[in-house]
Amino acid sequence: MRLSKGLAFLALVLGLAVPSRARQLSDLRSDARLLTGDTGSSTRVRYTNAQWNDWLNEGQAILADRSWCIIRSTSFPLISGTTYYATRTDFRAVKRLTRDWLELKEKSPESLDGKSRGWEERDGLPINYFVNFASRSLVGFVPFPNDSSSTGTIRMEYYTDVTDMSADSNQPFEGINELYGFHHALAYYAAHKAAVVDGRFKAAETFYGMFELLAKKMEENCRARPSYLPSAVGSQ
């Protein structure tokens, strides 16, 4: 999609400075109404608060899904004789997993099949983990723990879905402060949806273009975080 001159200028502005002020659900709803001219008393607006909330949450879900910015952590004990462990209900993928603070590497079931036909029956100290893609909700360990010396505590950082905003005071993206600068992207997404329904397709294109610019910037920021040195190694 080619950018109009006005949108190209806004893109330049966004590249120079991304606003860092946090927005709440009520703020974003007001922003979207202002963009689309859906203002006035509650009896004279075209769309209800519930409809705007749905569009704002839809935009939030799309950004979270594209950027993989939302990360949570959990922990659970290994149990002797147990291979598979249920993940959290909001689990998407493992980011990092350790057993008693030592990192375990992920292996796919296919790669394990290629190394040993009986890998699922091996017991001992776990050295790898795998995700059961049949359910996508189970993490397994190879070898599986068989006594107290091979158990321990699993600590897992994982990518997660974002929680819908419902209260007017809710902030997007779980209130993570480094994502404040992308809150207003949701207003552009919601305005795009309303403009499509209104049949104002040029305005819808402009609003979606702004959303897309912010989405790409958010993806870049989450992949190259300031002061983040992934290759740095500390002393042991």
Side-chain angles (χ1 to χ4, degrees):
M1 179 178 62
R2 297 183 62 185
L3 299 179
S4 66
K5 290 183 179 179
L7 194 54
F9 174 74
L10 287 172
L12 176 62
V13 173
L14 283 172
L16 295 175
V18 176
S20 59
R21 183 164 62 94
R23 306 296 282 167
Q24 297 180 345
L25 178 58
S26 59
D27 299 323
L28 292 169
R29 205 167 50 233
S30 296
D31 294 343
R33 286 191 185 279
L34 185 62
L35 286 168
T36 57
D38 190 27
T39 57
S41 66
S42 60
T43 59
R44 297 184 62 83
V45 294
R46 300 192 303 281
Y47 302 107
T48 64
N49 284 350
Q51 180 61 74
W52 283 114
N53 290 351
D54 284 345
W55 286 332
L56 291 165
N57 280 315
E58 183 178 313
Q60 179 186 224
I62 290 172
L63 281 182
D65 186 62
R66 285 179 54 171
S67 66
W68 294 78
C69 280
I70 313 300
I71 300 169
R72 294 194 179 107
S73 63
T74 188
S75 62
F76 54 88
L78 288 173
I79 301 171
S80 179
T82 301
T83 300
Y84 295 95
Y85 299 79
T87 58
R88 302 284 292 270
T89 56
D90 56 356
F91 172 84
R92 290 183 63 195
V94 176
K95 182 179 187 293
R96 184 171 181 269
L97 185 148
T98 65
R99 172 193 169 272
D100 291 346
W101 307 110
L102 295 177
E103 185 174 5
L104 302 185
K105 297 299 182 182
E106 182 175 9
K107 297 289 184 181
S108 68
E110 290 80 5
S111 69
L112 292 168
D113 287 339
K115 290 184 177 181
S116 171
R117 293 182 179 179
W119 62 268
E120 290 183 278
E121 298 177 358
R122 287 176 54 204
D123 58 7
L125 183 67
I127 57 174
N128 296 117
Y129 72 90
F130 63 95
V131 176
N132 186 324
F133 285 102
S135 66
R136 297 184 182 272
S137 62
L138 297 175
V139 174
F141 294 90
V142 180
F144 66 83
N146 61 349
D147 56 30
S148 60
S149 66
S150 56
T151 57
T153 299
I154 296 296
R155 293 174 175 84
M156 181 174 72
E157 294 179 359
Y158 64 98
Y159 298 101
T160 177
D161 296 321
V162 70
T163 303
D164 279 354
M165 297 176 287
S166 56
D168 281 353
S169 60
N170 287 163
Q171 294 181 355
F173 313 121
E174 316 293 334
I176 298 172
N177 58 9
E178 66 188 82
L179 301 180
Y180 284 176
F182 303 100
H183 286 186
H184 59 300
L186 307 187
Y188 286 118
Y189 181 84
H192 143 76
K193 297 286 283 192
V196 169
V197 176
D198 291 341
R200 298 188 299 124
F201 301 113
K202 188 65 177 178
E205 181 182 3
T206 299
F207 294 144
Y208 191 80
M210 289 302 304
F211 171 77
E212 186 65 20
L213 287 169
L214 287 162
K216 290 179 179 178
K217 183 66 175 177
M218 182 170 167
E219 290 178 55
E220 292 171 4
N221 281 23
C222 288
R223 289 183 173 87
R225 303 172 68 172
S227 303
Y228 178 56
L229 304 174
S231 60
V233 178
S235 59
Q236 295 185 358

